[in-house]
Amino acid sequence: MEEKKSEINGHAGHKNPLPAVSTKSEKNSFKDRFMVFLKRNLLVLLTVSGVLVGVGLGMMVRNMNLSRAQMTYFAFPGEMLLRMLKMIILPLVVCSLISGAASLDTRSLGKLGGIAVSYFLVTTLIASSIGVALAFIIKPGVGAGALNTNNLGLEGVSSNRETADSFLDLARYHLYVTDYKTILVGNGTNGTLNYQKVPYGADADGMNILGLVLFAMVFGVALRKLGAEGEELIRFFNAFNEATMVLVSWIMWYVPFGIMFLVGSKIVEMEDVVLLVTSLGKYIFASILGHIIHGGIVLPLIYFGFTRANPFSFLSGLITPFTTAFATCSSSATLPTMMKCVEENNGVDKRISRFILPIGATVNMDGAAIFQCVAAVFIAQLNNVELNAGQIFTILVTATASSVGAAGIPAGGIITIAIILEAIGLPTHDLSLMLAVDWIVDRTTTVVNVEGDALGAGILHHINEQEMKKQRQQEQHQEEQELEEVKVEVVANVKAEEETSPLVTCQNQGDSSSRETLDDKDGVESVL
């Protein structure tokens, strides 16, 4: 009867279609989720695919024995990517730092700047310690005395720069390089000629990012000090910065195509890579292992210690800039994509990211500090030099300091190794060995560099949020205290009126008598 009743009411016909509807909705929901995932991560997938396709394309073209001119044509799309990224660095750094410094008050700017510098110095010092420790554990240069530049057919790298001059050049506004030349200053007493090294300087090709960073920060603070007069100029730089970020978003869609040819051209240019990798395998292994330890363990632990949040979920939103860093080997070239992804994918405040990331791309070089320390110990072992405690300490301090001046360009850290070698009295002619395999090590170096910048921005964002939360709580507490004081005053005044005003006293008595009369009436009515 129940089945017939259900059939008559029409419910039996609806029993079978229900699972089909749910299955269809599940399929639709899965399809929708997949489309949302694809739309959100399309650029990441294209960028990673560009690296893989570039490797395959390079292996194919490598066997075609291209001429130098043909190799230049093949590498042109990748060169265009580098040029576009470098083109956008100047307006991006200047406008972002001016708007960021102008949007923060002086106290916040000083506090955040102090925390940022402390974070950069501590992480770089830790990275240098990891590099030295791994070099002494793995011992890449022990037993490799026969390895020299002549066997590998490499050109020597000369360096006449003094350690002090390398640091002084950082403070000069232009990209200034101090070099030395030997001149004749007279005859000696025994008929010998006296020569003297004389320093001279020249403007080098390139962009002094550190000078731009300092100028933009000071200029932003000056605009804020102007008050209302500087508001129009601050709005101009803010609008300029937003327009630059739009250009960055357009360039990012060219990144997968450009990366494909960047990676492919590097593979085509390789000559006898097997000899280099086998001869310098321990050095490459020690450097990359140091990058893995620092980037995969140390930096995430520091981020977790400050924020109590999952660092790998934060890093998962930065795959595109990491891939760009791996392909371009340039921290500065990765800056545009890093800014966009940190703000959009990880929700970092624009004022924080546009203030700290340009500084980090200039002065925070954790990956460079690791491979510089490994290289210094490697060259010492190669020349059978036993390093004492003082020399090891010098390596740590010099690598930490010189990494600040390392240019954010491919092979920019090689020149700074000369500063370390000269500081501990080692020859610099073996630097050509580092240059030979730098295109391998520099990729993981750049990834660790930009990872340190990104996690530093996340830490500063968290600290800033906590400070704002404390300020809101203090303001709320003060408002509650003021309300309580007002309440107390109101209650005191009412009591005073009740005690002193005869009119209120009579009115209260009349109200109480009327209430008693009403209560008596209600009692009588209830009895009736």
Side-chain angles (χ1 to χ4, degrees):
M1 292 292 292
E2 291 179 359
E3 290 180 359
K4 288 182 180 178
K5 193 173 183 180
S6 63
E7 287 175 4
I8 292 170
N9 293 332
H11 295 293
H14 293 283
K15 285 183 179 178
N16 293 331
L18 283 175
V21 172
S22 63
T23 305
K24 187 175 181 181
S25 63
E26 287 177 3
K27 288 181 179 178
N28 290 336
S29 62
F30 174 76
K31 183 179 179 182
D32 293 340
R33 287 198 302 269
F34 178 75
M35 293 303 295
V36 169
F37 171 81
L38 188 63
K39 185 177 179 181
R40 184 179 299 172
N41 299 283
L42 180 60
L43 188 59
V44 176
L45 296 174
L46 288 175
T47 306
V48 175
S49 301
V51 174
L52 298 177
V53 173
V55 172
L57 186 63
M59 296 301 294
M60 289 173 56
V61 177
R62 182 178 171 83
N63 298 324
M64 298 172 63
N65 297 323
L66 298 179
S67 63
R68 286 288 180 184
Q70 291 171 335
M71 289 171 63
T72 304
Y73 300 150
F74 178 72
F76 181 74
E79 181 188 352
M80 286 302 298
L81 173 62
L82 283 176
R83 290 185 178 274
M84 282 191 290
L85 290 172
K86 290 177 181 178
M87 171 197 70
I88 210 73
I89 289 172
L90 178 62
L92 185 66
V93 169
V94 173
C95 296
S96 62
L97 270 176
I98 290 175
S99 61
S103 62
L104 296 170
D105 58 62
T106 309
R107 287 185 302 172
S108 299
L109 188 66
K111 187 174 182 179
L112 291 175
I115 295 172
V117 171
S118 302
Y119 166 80
F120 292 153
L121 289 178
V122 170
T123 54
T124 307
L125 188 60
I126 292 172
S128 302
S129 304
I130 291 173
V132 171
L134 285 176
F136 277 105
I137 293 171
I138 298 174
K139 299 179 179 178
V142 173
L147 182 66
N148 55 53
T149 56
N150 294 328
N151 288 342
L152 296 174
L154 303 172
E155 296 180 359
V157 178
S158 61
S159 176
N160 294 323
R161 301 176 66 186
E162 297 290 339
T163 304
D165 294 323
S166 300
F167 290 108
L168 292 176
D169 289 343
L170 295 177
R172 294 182 167 95
Y173 180 73
H174 295 287
L175 195 59
Y176 190 89
V177 177
T178 301
D179 206 341
Y180 284 82
K181 59 183 178 181
T182 304
I183 63 171
L184 179 65
V185 293
N187 296 326
T189 56
N190 299 328
T192 58
L193 299 177
N194 292 333
Y195 293 92
Q196 187 177 3
K197 289 176 64 177
V198 178
Y200 71 96
D203 292 337
D205 293 333
M207 191 189 311
N208 186 2
I209 299 293
L210 187 60
L212 289 174
V213 165
L214 293 176
F215 168 77
M217 287 178 59
V218 175
F219 191 70
V221 173
L223 287 180
R224 184 173 179 84
K225 288 292 183 182
L226 282 177
E229 295 179 357
E231 288 295 328
E232 293 184 4
L233 201 52
I234 291 173
R235 284 197 296 269
F236 166 77
F237 280 110
N238 287 335
F240 202 146
N241 196 23
E242 295 300 328
T244 306
M245 294 305 294
V246 172
L247 289 177
V248 170
S249 64
W250 293 347
I251 293 173
M252 285 178 68
W253 287 106
Y254 181 77
V255 166
F257 184 74
I259 279 179
M260 180 173 65
F261 286 93
L262 267 179
V263 175
S265 62
K266 277 294 177 185
I267 293 176
V268 172
E269 290 172 4
M270 289 189 305
E271 294 181 0
D272 194 357
V273 69
V274 177
L275 175 62
L276 292 177
V277 172
T278 53
S279 301
L280 302 172
K282 283 187 178 180
Y283 163 72
I284 297 170
F285 173 72
S287 300
I288 294 178
L289 181 61
H291 294 153
I292 292 172
I293 292 173
H294 190 71
I297 299 174
V298 175
L299 289 177
L301 282 177
I302 293 174
Y303 178 83
F304 178 77
F306 276 96
T307 64
R308 291 294 186 271
N310 186 0
F312 298 104
S313 63
F314 182 90
L315 295 175
S316 64
L318 305 174
I319 296 176
T320 299
F322 288 158
T323 311
T324 307
F326 183 84
T328 61
C329 298
S330 173
S331 301
S332 301
T334 313
L335 182 61
T337 56
M338 177 61 74
M339 271 190 183
K340 192 166 184 64
C341 290
V342 160
E343 294 170 6
E344 294 183 357
N345 298 344
N346 294 327
V348 174
D349 191 345
K350 290 182 179 180
R351 295 175 300 173
I352 301 295
S353 63
R354 297 177 185 184
F355 167 71
I356 197 63
L357 288 179
I359 301 174
T362 308
V363 303
N364 187 33
M365 300 289 179
D366 295 353
I370 290 173
F371 98 85
Q372 287 169 7
C373 289
V374 173
V377 178
F378 168 74
I379 291 176
Q381 294 171 350
L382 197 66
N383 291 276
N384 297 319
V385 176
E386 292 288 337
L387 296 175
N388 55 37
Q391 288 175 316
I392 294 172
F393 179 76
T394 303
I395 290 175
L396 291 175
V397 175
T398 311
T400 303
S402 63
S403 64
V404 173
I409 57 173
I414 289 292
I415 304 301
T416 59
I417 300 178
I419 301 174
I420 304 173
L421 295 178
E422 290 170 354
I424 58 178
L426 288 176
T428 59
H429 59 78
D430 289 325
L431 279 176
S432 56
L433 294 174
M434 311 296 99
L435 193 59
V437 295
D438 185 68
W439 60 271
I440 300 174
V441 178
D442 201 20
R443 302 187 183 280
T444 54
T445 296
T446 311
V447 171
V448 175
N449 288 343
V450 299
E451 180 190 356
D453 300 342
L455 291 177
I459 291 172
L460 282 180
H461 174 73
H462 175 77
I463 293 173
N464 188 53
E465 289 288 319
Q466 294 297 318
E467 290 292 329
M468 291 176 64
K469 187 177 180 182
K470 285 181 182 178
Q471 288 181 0
R472 286 194 296 266
Q473 288 177 351
Q474 289 176 357
E475 291 174 358
Q476 187 177 1
H477 183 64
Q478 288 177 357
E479 289 178 358
E480 290 176 355
Q481 283 183 340
E482 291 174 358
L483 288 173
E484 286 179 359
E485 290 176 0
V486 171
K487 268 185 190 176
V488 171
E489 290 178 1
V490 170
V491 171
N493 290 334
V494 169
K495 286 182 179 179
E497 287 180 358
E498 288 179 353
E499 292 172 359
T500 58
S501 175
L503 181 62
V504 173
T505 305
C506 295
Q507 187 178 355
N508 290 339
Q509 290 176 355
D511 292 341
S512 61
S513 61
S514 62
R515 284 196 205 98
E516 289 176 359
T517 307
L518 288 173
D519 291 339
D520 293 338
K521 287 182 180 179
D522 292 338
V524 172
E525 289 176 358
S526 61
V527 170
L528 295 175

